[in-house]
Amino acid sequence: AQTVTQSQPEMSVQEAETVTLSCTYDTSESNYYLFWYKQPPSRQMILVIRQEAYKQQNATENRFSVNFQKAAKSFSLKISDSQLGDTAMYFCAFEGSNYKLTFGKGTLLTVNP
Amino acid sequence: AAGVIQSPRHLIKEKRETATLKCYPIPRHDTVYWYQQGPGQDPQFLISFYEKMQSDKGSIPDRFSAQQFSDYHSELNMSSLELGDSALYFCASSSTGTGLNTEAFFGQGTRLTVV
């Protein structure tokens, strides 16, 4: 079974600064996907970024980028130029061959003005 | 663009009652997933369907059942409700059968409160 670990229950960052959220996972599969989902106070689950394990290049989406280290089973999310609207719970998630998502416990990010 | 539609958005039931949650996936998505997110918790996988057949099952109580219909919408039926069933229930859909795996798109969730 896969496990996903987010070791930072809460983090805070000043507006316009950069913050990195950590995620590690454990799996015996070689082909899989990793995701970061954002859950604002509205509780909607919003996909932030997706990484295919077979791709060495780190995914980027505007201000969001990941540092994917397959050998270390690490998948961190970097948010640049943080905005107040980035305040949310962030979940790291793993998808293997059965397509279901396994989530970490989440990191509550607060962006301060 | 069409998204995953869940209904109702909010539901209040008493203990031992029955609840039915509905999910309408994104058109042409062939896979539907149900997740349960308790207060302060991460979402937990309940069950999934691929082309109207159950494809995987997680930690879903025997009191819960689900199915996917010919029009691809799915329903989660929950009987003998308990206080601990109070949670946010997400439905998600994706396309997995065409060789092009799309990410799961989530609906806005149904907030179930059992009193």
Side-chain angles (χ1 to χ4, degrees):
Chain A
Q2 292 81 19
T3 59
V4 177
T5 302
Q6 294 179 247
S7 58
Q8 306 150 313
E10 294 186 37
M11 293 192 72
S12 62
V13 64
Q14 292 299 121
E15 196 174 5
E17 294 189 343
T18 296
V19 64
T20 299
L21 280 56
S22 300
C23 173
T24 59
Y25 60 95
D26 191 24
T27 183
S28 58
E29 298 191 40
S30 57
N31 294 320
Y32 50 87
Y33 295 83
L34 295 163
F35 305 87
W36 280 97
Y37 281 91
K38 168 185 177 180
Q39 189 174 43
S42 67
R43 306 297 301 278
Q44 173 96 32
M45 290 293 283
I46 302 167
L47 177 66
V48 175
I49 200 164
R50 158 186 165 143
Q51 174 79 44
E52 293 92 335
Y54 63 86
K55 289 187 177 179
Q56 292 186 330
Q57 186 173 6
N58 290 322
T60 62
E61 284 289 340
N62 302 312
R63 299 183 295 107
F64 299 89
S65 62
V66 298
N67 184 3
F68 173 48
Q69 302 290 326
K70 189 172 184 179
K73 295 190 171 75
S74 171
F75 182 61
S76 61
L77 174 70
K78 185 171 82 172
I79 305 174
S80 304
D81 186 25
S82 296
Q83 300 176 0
L84 296 178
D86 295 334
T87 292
M89 180 71 84
Y90 286 81
F91 290 101
C92 177
F94 174 99
E95 178 190 300
S97 58
N98 57 14
Y99 301 113
K100 69 181 184 185
L101 291 167
T102 299
F103 290 87
K105 295 299 182 186
T107 297
L108 180 60
L109 176 67
T110 302
V111 180
N112 299 308
Chain B
V4 178
I5 305 297
Q6 290 187 246
S7 67
R9 293 290 309 280
H10 302 274
L11 190 58
I12 300 175
K13 291 285 186 178
E14 295 188 352
K15 284 192 300 183
R16 293 179 288 278
E17 283 192 321
T18 296
T20 298
L21 280 54
K22 296 185 179 182
C23 170
Y24 297 85
I26 292 172
R28 293 182 293 281
H29 276 191
D30 52 29
T31 306
V32 167
Y33 315 81
W34 286 96
Y35 291 85
Q36 177 192 57
Q37 186 179 25
Q41 302 295 315
D42 55 297
Q44 295 291 316
F45 172 74
L46 292 177
I47 196 167
S48 62
F49 293 87
Y50 169 68
E51 287 290 346
K52 293 157 279 185
M53 298 289 289
Q54 181 181 310
S55 55
D56 202 352
K57 199 171 181 180
S59 51
I60 182 169
D62 292 340
R63 300 178 290 106
F64 293 9
S65 65
Q67 59 181 324
Q68 188 177 27
F69 295 86
S70 58
D71 64 352
Y72 289 89
H73 94 273
S74 178
E75 295 184 2
L76 177 65
N77 296 293
M78 309 158 69
S79 63
S80 302
L81 287 168
E82 301 174 357
L83 296 178
D85 296 329
S86 295
L88 187 58
Y89 290 84
F90 284 109
C91 173
S93 74
S94 71
S95 179
T96 63
T98 60
L100 178 64
N101 181 22
T102 69
E103 61 267 25
F105 291 84
F106 282 78
Q108 292 188 296
T110 294
R111 182 179 298 281
L112 172 66
T113 303
V114 182
V115 297

